[in-house]
C-alpha cells in the first residue's frame, strides 16, 4: 500500500497542514470501552523488565546511570533497546535504558553538579571545553544579569528561572515526520530559507537565516539517527507502526538534544488513529496489535530521563519531565476529536498500571461523547494520574481545535506557536515587600525600591493597596527584563533546532510569566481590609508577624468579594506585564502554576497578614489556602472551592490556571458507578462554569499516611500534585507532608 492510499483531502498534500489531514480522515468514536484489549505478551515482558530497572533507579535516588563525557546530540549514541526482539517501537535517549545523557550546552556547572551530586565524576576535558572554548547559555545569562536581577533571584521574589537548564515547553509537531517524511520537510525549510531576507540584512533576518539553517541540519541528523535503528524516514509512513515510529523519532530527537523543563509530545492521538483504523480496516493488524503499539509508545515516554541537580529536584520533586500527551477535545465543526485511540492511550494505565509519565491530559468539554467522559472519569478515579483542561476555553482563546498542552497548563497551537517559558513571581512575598518598603523579610536585604515602609500598629487597607501596586509595577518590569535576558541567551547558545524544525518558520511566540501565592495575596488583602491586622515588628522595626483580630472572607469558599480580589491581583499584575517589552515581540501571558515548588516558595516567605505561618508551603497554583492559622482554609466543600477557581479570568492567564483537588471516594458516592457518574458531572459543571484545569485525585488521607509510613507497600502509588503526576514515594518528606496537609474533600 502506498503511504497516502485511501486518505482524503487535497490541501494537506501540497503543503504542510496536519490539521487539514486529520479533519478529512479521522473517525470519531462515540462508543464505550468494550473494544479494548489487555496487554500483549511482548508488553508484559518489556514492562516487567522496565519495572526491574525502575527499582534499581529508585534505590539509586533516581539515577540508573549517567554519561559524563559525551555531549548529547541526536546522533551522539549508538542505538539502544530494552528487549530488542520484543519492541514494536524503538529508540532510546542514549545507548542504555534510563541512562541519563550529558547535556552541557545549557550550563557546564549545572551538568557537572548533576554528576557530582549523584556520585559520578566530572570530566576535565569536557569542563575545559565548555568553560574556556565553548560558551554556554548559563554563562551568557550571568554575564548580562544586573545586580538587581541577581538580588531578586537570590531572595526568591522571582524563582525557578530557566537560566541553567533548557527552557522546554516547545512542542514540535512531530506528526509532520510521519505524514510527509523528512525529505519533504527539508525541502520546505529550504524554500523558507530562500525567502528569508530581501537584500537588507537586519539583525532579525540574519538570526532567522541562521536558525532555519540549523533546523535543516537538524532534520538531516534525525534522518541519520533513524538509520541507526534500521529505518529510512525519507518518505512518509506507510502503515500504523511506521506512523507511530516516525512520530516518536521526531520526539526522540528533541529529548536527545534538549533537557527542557517540559518536553511535551503534543496532540498525536487522532492523527495516529487514522493510520491504525486504515490498517484495521484492511485486516493488516488486529485490535490487540493496535493496543500493543500504543502501549510500547507510552512505555517509551515513561522512560524519558534527564540529569538534574538537587536544587532542581527540590523545586520539581519526583523527577518529572512533563512528556505531556494531549487527547480528546472538540472540533470547530462540532464533531468531537475522540477516537478509539483516546481510549487506547488511557487504557495504558490499566495495562501497565498508573504512571507519572507521560503527563496524560484530557482536553475536556461537556460536549464530548458521554462514553468517553465516563471512561476518562473512571480512569481518573482509579489511577489519580490524569489531568483535565477546558477545551472550550482553548478553542475560544487560541482560535484552533489543534491545541496541545505544554508542561501542565500551557496551551500552544501545534506547529504554529511556541512559548518562551518563564518561572514565577512570588506575589505573597510581594505583599510583605509592600509593607516593609522593599526589604526582604527573610534576609533583611533591600531588594525592591526604597519605598517608605508602613509604620502603623495595624495595617491600613488603602495605604497598603497603593504600596502593593507600586511593588507589582517594579516586580513586573524586573521580571520581564530578566526573562528577556534568559531567552536572548538561550536562542544564542542553546537553540532548540530539533524541535523548531517541526514548526512553522514564521512562528507566533508567547512570553509566559508565572505567579505564585495568589491565594495568600488575596487572603492577605481581605485580612487587611476586614481583619484589623495587628503588626508585630522585630528589633529593627521590620514587620515580621501579623495577627488578624477579626474574621475575614477568604478565596476558595465561593465568596464574591474574596474571589474578586484574587481576580483584581491577577488583572493588575498582568496589565503591568503587558506594558513591558517582551523578547522578539512575543505576546505576554501569565499562569497560576507552581508545580511542587510551592513548598520551596513557602520556605522563602515569611508570615503573611492572612495568618499563614512563615515557611509553610504556599497553596499550589490557583488552589485556595490550606487550613493554616485561625481563619484560612476551604470550609464550604468541593463545589464551593471549584466555583472560586472557575471565576479566575482565563483571558488574564492564558498560560494556564492550575487547580489540584483531592476527593475522598466516599465524598463522591457509595459505590463505584455512582462515584464515576458524580465525578463526570462535577467536571461537566466545573468546565461549563469556566474552570480551566483540574488535577483529579480520588483517595483518602489515610492512604497517604500509610504510604508515608510504609513506602514498600506502595511502589507505584501515583498522585497528581500541582501540574503533574508523581509516584508518592519519590516526593521529599516535606512535599509528602504538604500533600497530606491539603484539603481532602469529603463532601460535594
Amino acid at each position: 500500500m502506498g503511504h497516502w492510499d485511501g486518505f482524503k483531502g487535497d490541501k494537506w498534500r501540497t503543503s504542510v497542514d496536519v490539521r487539514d489531514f486529520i479533519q478529512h480522515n479521522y473517525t470519531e468514536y462515540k462508543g464505550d470501552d468494550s473494544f479494548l484489549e489487555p496487554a500483549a505478551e511482548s508488553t508484559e515482558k518489556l514492562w516487567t523488565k522496565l519495572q526491574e530497572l525502575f527499582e534499581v533507579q529508585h534505590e539509586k535516588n533516581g539515577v540508573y546511570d549517567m554519561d559524563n563525557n559525551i555531549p548529547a546530540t541526536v546522533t551522539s549514541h549508538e542505538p539502544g533497546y530494552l528487549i530488542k526482539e520484543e519492541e514494536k517501537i524503538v529508540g532510546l535517549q542514549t545507548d542504555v535504558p534510563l541512562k541519563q545523557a550529558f547535556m552541557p550546552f545549557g550550563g557546564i556547572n549545572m551538568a557537572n553538579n548533576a554528576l557530582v551530586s549523584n556520585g559520578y565524576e566530572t570530566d576535565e576535558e569536557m569542563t575545559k571545553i565548555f568553560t574556556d572554548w565553548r560558551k554556554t547559555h548559563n554563562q551568557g545569562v550571568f554575564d548580562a544579569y544586573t545586580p538587581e536581577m541577581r538580588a531578586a533571584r537570590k531572595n526568591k521574589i522571582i524563582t525557578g528561572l530557566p537560566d541553567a537548564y533548557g527552557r522546554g515547553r516547545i512542542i514540535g509537531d512531530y506528526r509532520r515526520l510521519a505524514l510527509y517524511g523528512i525529505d519533504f520537510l527539508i525541502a520546505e525549510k529550504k524554500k523558507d530559507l530562500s525567502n528569508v531576507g530581501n537584500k537588507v540584512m537586519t539583525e532579525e533576518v540574519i538570526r532567522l537565516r541562521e536558525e532555519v539553517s540549523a533546523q535543516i541540519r537538524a532534520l538531516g541528523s534525525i534522518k541519520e539517527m533513524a538509520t541507526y535503528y534500521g529505518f529510512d524516514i525519507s518518505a512518509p509512513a506507510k502503515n500504523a507502526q511506521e506512523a507511530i515510529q516516525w512520530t516518536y523519532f521526531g520526539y526522540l530527537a528533541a529529548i536527545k538534544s534538549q533537557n527542557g523543563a517540559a518536553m511535551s509530545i503534543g496532540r498525536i492521538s487522532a492523527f495516529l488513529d487514522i493510520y491504525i483504523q486504515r490498517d484495521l480496516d484492511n485486516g493488516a493488524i488486529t485490535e490487540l496489535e493496535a493496543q500493543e503499539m500504543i502501549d510500547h509508545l507510552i512505555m517509551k515516554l515513561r522512560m524519558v530521563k534527564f540529569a538534574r541537580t538537587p536544587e532542581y529536584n527540590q523545586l520539581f520533586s519526583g523527577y518529572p519531565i512533563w512528556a505531556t500527551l494531549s487527547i480528546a477535545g472538540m472540533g470547530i465543526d462540532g464533531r468531537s476529536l475522540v477516537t478509539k485511540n483516546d481510549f487506547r492511550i488511557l487504557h495504558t494505565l490499566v495495562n501497565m498500571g498508573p504512571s507519572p509519565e507521560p503527563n496524560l491530559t484530557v482536553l475536556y468539554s461537556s460536549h464530548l461523547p458521554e462514553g468517553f467522559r465516563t471512561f476518562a472519569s473512571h480512569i481518573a478515579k482509579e489511577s489519580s494520574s490524569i489531568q483535565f483542561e477546558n477545551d472550550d476555553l482553548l478553542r475560544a482563546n487560541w482560535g484552533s481545535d489543534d491545541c496541545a498542552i505544554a508542561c501542565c497548563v500551557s496551551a500552544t497551537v501545534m506547529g504554529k506557536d511556541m512559548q518562551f517559558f518563564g518561572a514565577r513571581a512570588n506575589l505573597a512575598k510581594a505583599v510583605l515587600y509592600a509593607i516593609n518598603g522593599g526589604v526582604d523579610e527573610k534576609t533583611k536585604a533591600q531588594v525592591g525600591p526604597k519605598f517608605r515602609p508602613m509604620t502603623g500598629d495595624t495595617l491600613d487597607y488603602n495605604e497598603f493597596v497603593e504600596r502593593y501596586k507600586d511593588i507589582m509595577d517594579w516586580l513586573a518590569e524586573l521580571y520581564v527584563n530578566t526573562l528577556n535576558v534568559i531567552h536572548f541567551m538561550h536562542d544564542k547558545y542553546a537553540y532548540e533546532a530539533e524541535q523548531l524544525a517541526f514548526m512553522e518558520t514564521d512562528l507566533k511566540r508567547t512570553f509566559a510569566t508565572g505567579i505564585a501565592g495568589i491565594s495568600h495575596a488575596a487572603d492577605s488583602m481581605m485580612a487587611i481590609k476586614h481583619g484589623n491586622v495587628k503588626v508585630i515588628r522585630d528589633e529593627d522595626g521590620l514587620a515580621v508577624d501579623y495577627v488578624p483580630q477579626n474574621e475575614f472572607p477568604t478565596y476558595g469558599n465561593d465568596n464574591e468579594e474574596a474571589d474578586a480580589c484574587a481576580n483584581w491581583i491577577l488583572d493588575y499584575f498582568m496589565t503591568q506585564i503587558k506594558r513591558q517589552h517582551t523578547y522578539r515581540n512575543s505576546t505576554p501571558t501569565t499562569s497560576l502554576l507552581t508545580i511542587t515548588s510551592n513548598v520551596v516558595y513557602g520556605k522563602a516567605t515569611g508570615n503573611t497578614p492572612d495568618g499563614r505561618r512563615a515557611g509553610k508551603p504556599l497553596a499550589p497554583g490557583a488552589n485556595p489556602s490550606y487550613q493554616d492559622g485561625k481563619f484560612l482554609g476551604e470550609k464550604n466543600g468541593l463545589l464551593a472551592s471549584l466555583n472560586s477557581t472557575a471565576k479566575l479570568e482565563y483571558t488574564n492567564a492564558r498560560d494556564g490556571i492550575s487547580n489540584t483537588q483531592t476527593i475522598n471516594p466516599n465524598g463522591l458516592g457509595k459505590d463505584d458507578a455512582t462515584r464515576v457518574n458524580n465525578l463526570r458531572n462535577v467536571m461537566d459543571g466545573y468546565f461549563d462554569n469556566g474552570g480551566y484545569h483540574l488535577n483529579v485525585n480520588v483517595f483518602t488521607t489515610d492512604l497517604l499516611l500509610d504510604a508515608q509510613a510504609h513506602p514498600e507497600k506502595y511502589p507505584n502509588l501515583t498522585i497528581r500534585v500541582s501540574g503533574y503526576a508523581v509516584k508518592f514515594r519519590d516526593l521529599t518528606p516535606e512535599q509528602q507532608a504538604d500533600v497530606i496537609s491539603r484539603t481532602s474533600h469529603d463532601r460535594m
Side-chain angles (χ1 to χ4, degrees), residues 169 409-410 419 421-425 427 479 511-518 570 573-574 589-595 621-622 650 652-658 692:
R169 289 199 184 176
V409 292
S410 304
Q419 184 199 90
F421 153 67
R424 253 73 52 190
L427 291 192
Y479 189 11
F511 187 99
T513 59
I515 293 172
I518 186 76
L570 173 61
F573 191 68
M574 189 59 218
T589 64
T590 200
S591 64
L592 302 174
L593 166 67
T594 57
I595 320 295
Y650 178 67
N652 274 331
R654 290 177 68 204
D655 192 44
I657 299 169
S658 175
Y692 176 70

Side-chain angles (χ1 to χ4, degrees), residues 16-35:
V16 176
D17 193 338
V18 178
R19 180 190 174 275
D20 186 64
F21 168 75
I22 294 171
Q23 289 295 317
H24 277 94
N25 291 287
Y26 84 95
T27 304
E28 183 186 15
Y29 181 67
K30 296 183 178 180
D32 61 20
D33 59 330
S34 56
F35 72 94

Side-chain angles (χ1 to χ4, degrees), residues 693-710:
H693 166 264
L694 192 62
N695 277 318
V696 176
N697 290 308
V698 182
F699 46 63
T700 65
T701 303
D702 288 343
L703 175 73
L704 298 184
L705 289 170
D706 196 46
Q708 188 182 43
H710 306 287

Side-chain angles (χ1 to χ4, degrees), residues 195-206:
N195 289 318
V196 176
N198 183 20
K199 296 183 181 178
V200 180
M201 285 290 111
T202 64
E203 184 178 335
E204 289 76 16
V205 168
I206 295 167

Side-chain angles (χ1 to χ4, degrees), residues 14 26 46 78 91 94 144 165 189 228 264 292 295 299 307 381 458 472 538 543 605 651 667 675:
T14 54
Y26 84 95
L46 290 164
E78 295 295 316
T94 63
Y165 52 88
K189 283 293 178 183
Y228 296 177
S264 303
E292 181 185 30
D295 285 344
M299 203 180 317
K381 181 184 79 67
T458 58
M472 285 197 284
D538 67 7
T605 306
T651 50
R675 290 166 186 161

Side-chain angles (χ1 to χ4, degrees), residues 68-377:
N68 72 343
N69 62 358
I70 305 175
T73 68
V74 173
T75 56
S76 58
H77 290 78
E78 295 295 316
Y81 302 90
L82 192 56
I83 305 174
K84 185 176 180 180
E85 59 275 19
E86 302 290 349
E87 296 179 53
K88 299 295 185 263
I89 305 300
V90 298
L92 300 179
Q93 287 173 282
T94 63
D95 52 347
V96 174
L98 304 184
K99 184 166 78 172
Q100 297 173 3
F102 178 63
M103 293 184 160
F105 297 100
I108 184 64
N109 290 334
M110 189 210 72
N112 280 345
N113 188 9
L115 286 166
V116 172
S117 61
N118 287 293
Y120 291 81
E121 293 184 353
T122 60
D123 183 273
E124 289 186 12
E125 185 179 5
M126 286 296 114
T127 303
K128 183 175 179 61
I129 289 173
F130 287 95
T131 303
D132 295 348
W133 299 343
R134 208 299 190 174
K135 194 169 184 177
T136 67
H137 163 231
N138 184 249
Q139 288 170 309
V141 167
F142 276 84
D143 280 354
Y145 268 170
T146 65
E148 188 181 33
M149 292 172 183
R150 291 173 184 247
R153 185 181 188 274
K154 181 179 179 181
N155 286 275
K156 299 182 173 56
I157 185 76
I158 304 172
T159 55
L161 292 163
D163 52 14
Y165 52 88
R167 55 189 166 190
R169 289 199 184 176
I170 298 172
I171 310 176
D173 187 357
Y174 309 114
R175 305 170 302 187
R176 294 181 176 196
L177 182 50
L179 184 56
Y180 296 105
I182 213 149
D183 285 355
F184 183 87
L185 298 180
I186 290 173
E188 289 294 296
K189 283 293 178 183
K190 285 182 175 176
K191 265 197 270 183
D192 288 349
L193 182 61
S194 69
N195 289 318
V196 176
N198 183 20
K199 296 183 181 178
V200 180
M201 285 290 111
T202 64
E203 184 178 335
E204 289 76 16
V205 168
I206 295 167
R207 177 170 53 194
L208 187 55
R209 287 190 64 81
E210 184 182 26
E211 290 177 351
V212 176
S213 296
Q215 293 172 22
I216 292 169
R217 281 195 298 276
L219 291 170
S221 296
I222 297 166
K223 185 176 179 179
E224 181 183 350
M225 175 194 73
T227 65
Y228 296 177
Y229 287 95
F231 291 99
D232 178 4
I233 59 172
S234 301
K238 296 191 295 294
N239 55 41
Q241 187 170 6
E242 286 191 356
I244 297 170
Q245 182 67 69
W246 273 216
T247 301
Y248 175 62
F249 274 145
Y251 178 70
L252 182 61
I255 57 176
K256 275 176 166 284
S257 57
Q258 285 286 329
N259 67 342
M263 299 293 283
S264 303
I265 191 170
R267 186 173 187 165
I268 59 175
S269 180
F271 173 79
L272 295 179
D273 190 75
I274 294 168
Y275 288 85
I276 292 173
Q277 192 60 49
R278 186 177 67 169
D279 282 4
L280 287 168
D281 292 343
N282 292 333
I285 60 172
T286 64
E287 179 58 40
L288 181 66
E289 289 169 320
Q291 184 67 53
E292 181 185 30
M293 289 187 283
I294 292 298
D295 285 344
H296 290 200
L297 171 66
I298 296 298
M299 203 180 317
K300 286 289 187 295
L301 301 181
R302 292 184 177 194
M303 296 170 68
V304 182
K305 297 293 294 181
F306 294 110
R308 303 295 198 196
T309 64
E311 294 79 14
Y312 186 98
N313 289 333
Q314 282 184 351
L315 281 176
F316 311 122
S317 190
Y319 326 113
I321 65 104
W322 291 279
T324 303
L325 194 165
S326 306
I327 65 175
M330 294 294 298
I332 289 172
D333 64 359
R335 293 181 295 163
S336 84
L337 281 151
V338 171
T339 65
K340 285 186 174 179
N341 229 20
D342 299 285
F343 284 78
R344 293 185 191 106
I345 289 171
L346 291 180
H347 191 52
T348 63
L349 294 169
V350 177
N351 280 354
M352 297 185 288
S355 175
E357 303 284 357
N359 186 23
L360 290 178
T361 301
V362 175
L363 306 181
Y364 197 88
S365 166
S366 62
H367 301 293
L368 294 175
E370 184 172 330
F372 178 76
R373 286 182 289 127
T374 301
F375 182 63
S377 300

